[in-house]
Amino acid sequence: MEECYIDYDDDIYKKELPEELLLTWISQVLKEVKQEDFSVNLLFTDNERVKELNNTFRGKNAATDVLSFSQVEGEDFCFENHFLGDIVIAVPYAANQAESLGHSVFEEVRYLILHGILHLMGYDHDENEDCEMSRLEKSVYKKLTGETVE
């Protein structure tokens, strides 16, 4: 695996989301989706910053859990630099989701990283829960954790 980078906008996020464990998770996910020679950057931030980024880059003036900024653009793309892209996660948003789903913030973030990596690879989801991205997401998550994603 190429070197991945994790940045935290707040030191509190480091306690909840240890860098070493997340780098291991990223490595496992990239290996499982056959992208082990590639890297990603990950930023943990607050809802306000994600809302700004979402508005700037997607025209949606709302916070969200995860944003992915892929370097995989266009049909003629080739992986010359081994960098898939950036993933930005709103920790407070993810924490609220985790609480409503009855699991830890760490578990939620692992799922969001997987989700973000699939977006970086060009997968997209639609309203149909049985889309290819959703099936792959559930399969990879279950294989790596033994847990089922709802």
Side-chain angles (χ1 to χ4, degrees), residues 37-105:
D37 292 337
F38 302 100
S39 67
V40 300
N41 290 338
L42 186 58
L43 170 65
F44 293 108
T45 191
D46 58 27
N47 293 350
E48 292 76 26
R49 186 160 182 200
V50 166
K51 180 180 176 181
E52 284 177 27
L53 292 169
N54 203 19
N55 190 31
T56 300
F57 293 101
R58 298 180 66 228
K60 296 184 178 191
N61 193 25
T64 188
D65 52 2
V66 61
L67 292 171
S68 299
F69 298 95
S70 179
Q71 297 302 302
V72 183
E73 298 293 335
E75 293 181 21
D76 296 328
F77 179 84
C78 67
F79 291 107
E80 290 183 17
N81 65 3
H82 295 270
F83 177 61
L84 287 176
D86 299 295
I87 299 170
V88 180
I89 294 177
V91 177
Y93 200 104
N96 286 340
Q97 284 183 166
E99 184 177 337
S100 70
L101 294 169
H103 55 249
S104 71
V105 175

Side-chain angles (χ1 to χ4, degrees), residues 119-135:
H119 275 307
L120 294 179
M121 292 172 57
Y123 287 93
D124 203 2
H125 46 79
D126 53 27
E127 302 304 316
N128 181 351
E129 283 299 312
D130 289 329
C131 70
E132 182 181 6
M133 180 179 179
S134 180
R135 285 192 307 272

